[in-house]
Amino acid sequence: EITDVGADAQVVLKRGVIVTNTKYAGYAPAEFFGPQSFHEDDYTLYYNNLKDNIAKRIAAYKTDAANAPDYAKTSSWYQIPKITKAVDTFFVYPTEYMASNKGDSDYAQLDNPEMLNGVKEVDHRFMASVYEDSTNVFIPYYRQAAMPAMIKAWKATGDVRNALKNAPPYADITSALDYYFQNYNNGRPFILAAHSQGSAICTLVLEEYFKKHPDYYKRMVAAYLIGFSITKDELKAN
């Protein structure tokens, strides 16, 4: 039975599916394409939703591409140190962007004053500086996720990293790593260090980025991923 208003739909993130309660009289789902797949009417039911979503995704992609940091510019780094030590540290700072005002973006831009001040007054002074006696400390800026965006991801999926991967934070840090290894590291051993959101991003770096770059990974002295849970199962898998 299909009414004139069309179909309802609900996104279920944990299952990775769209669910509809719309009933078809005498219609057999195409089970071999998946449980209760309508198949022939998938586009028909959600045609306008798809059209709207496509436009939004393209606009978001263009915005992300336009605002992505260029790590060849020194302005995209909080700190590029003078090389005086035999070992580097690549430090990823924690959440400083709270997005506490209505309408604030889910991700900070590089010129966000709240983030910039937090990196300078807190993250460098009380965290990253611990590595400076022994290493050359590199600190890239990145478009970090706001606290509400991470809370939303955690409530929906049980993992705050779903607000970080396939999104500006992970994309920026991996771009910064690319530039760092190609232009600054010069083959030196390095430490990967972070706190909070930075550590969450770095778990993805260890799980994905370094598996694609084993030549970099073999020079890693240690990873200090402080302020984010790492389980025994994750250690075993990675």
Side-chain angles (χ1 to χ4, degrees), residues 60-78 80 90 92-93 107-112 115-116 139-145 167-180 183-184 201:
Y61 176 84
K62 288 180 177 178
T63 299
D64 284 346
N67 294 328
D70 179 359
Y71 289 104
K73 297 179 179 179
T74 58
S75 59
S76 294
W77 297 79
Y78 169 78
I80 301 171
F90 186 95
V92 186
Y93 53 80
Y107 299 96
Q109 296 305 313
L110 291 201
D111 61 354
N112 180 269
M115 183 179 73
L116 296 179
I139 307 175
Y141 287 122
Y142 71 98
R143 295 170 295 170
Q144 65 176 196
Y170 182 71
D172 289 356
I173 290 302
T174 52
S175 292
L177 282 165
D178 284 343
Y179 196 85
Y180 161 74
N183 296 275
Y184 293 139
I201 296 169

Side-chain angles (χ1 to χ4, degrees), residues 34-55:
Q36 299 181 1
S37 169
F38 287 110
H39 192 60
E40 292 181 8
D41 291 307
D42 285 340
Y43 267 83
T44 310
L45 284 169
Y46 304 113
Y47 188 89
N48 286 328
N49 304 77
L50 280 166
K51 185 163 64 172
D52 181 60
N53 189 266
I54 291 163

Side-chain angles (χ1 to χ4, degrees), residues 208-229:
E208 299 176 9
Y209 181 85
F210 281 134
K211 288 182 179 178
K212 297 176 183 177
H213 299 283
D215 51 328
Y216 300 157
Y217 178 71
K218 68 183 180 182
R219 299 203 305 273
M220 190 177 78
V221 176
Y224 290 87
L225 308 190
I226 298 169
F228 189 78
S229 175

Side-chain angles (χ1 to χ4, degrees), residues 126-195:
F126 299 110
M127 298 181 193
S129 62
V130 75
Y131 303 96
E132 290 186 321
D133 281 355
S134 301
T135 71
N136 314 297
V137 179
F138 290 81
I139 307 175
Y141 287 122
Y142 71 98
R143 295 170 295 170
Q144 65 176 196
M147 185 62 71
M150 290 191 293
I151 292 172
K152 183 179 179 181
W154 178 75
K155 287 181 177 179
T157 68
D159 191 342
V160 299
R161 295 181 299 178
N162 285 313
L164 309 176
K165 60 184 179 182
N166 301 318
Y170 182 71
D172 289 356
I173 290 302
T174 52
S175 292
L177 282 165
D178 284 343
Y179 196 85
Y180 161 74
F181 281 118
Q182 294 166 15
N183 296 275
Y184 293 139
N185 176 255
N186 291 321
R188 288 185 297 276
F190 68 94
I191 287 171
L192 183 67
H195 185 255

Side-chain angles (χ1 to χ4, degrees), residues 76-126:
S76 294
W77 297 79
Y78 169 78
Q79 180 166 285
I80 301 171
K82 292 183 179 180
I83 305 304
T84 59
K85 310 290 196 306
V87 178
D88 294 344
T89 290
F90 186 95
F91 182 82
V92 186
Y93 53 80
T95 307
E96 295 295 348
Y97 174 54
M98 296 295 116
S100 53
N101 299 314
K102 185 177 181 180
D104 282 346
S105 172
D106 285 343
Y107 299 96
Q109 296 305 313
L110 291 201
D111 61 354
N112 180 269
E114 185 178 23
M115 183 179 73
L116 296 179
N117 185 66
V119 175
K120 178 181 179 181
E121 298 299 332
V122 179
D123 305 333
H124 180 211
R125 290 179 64 193
F126 299 110

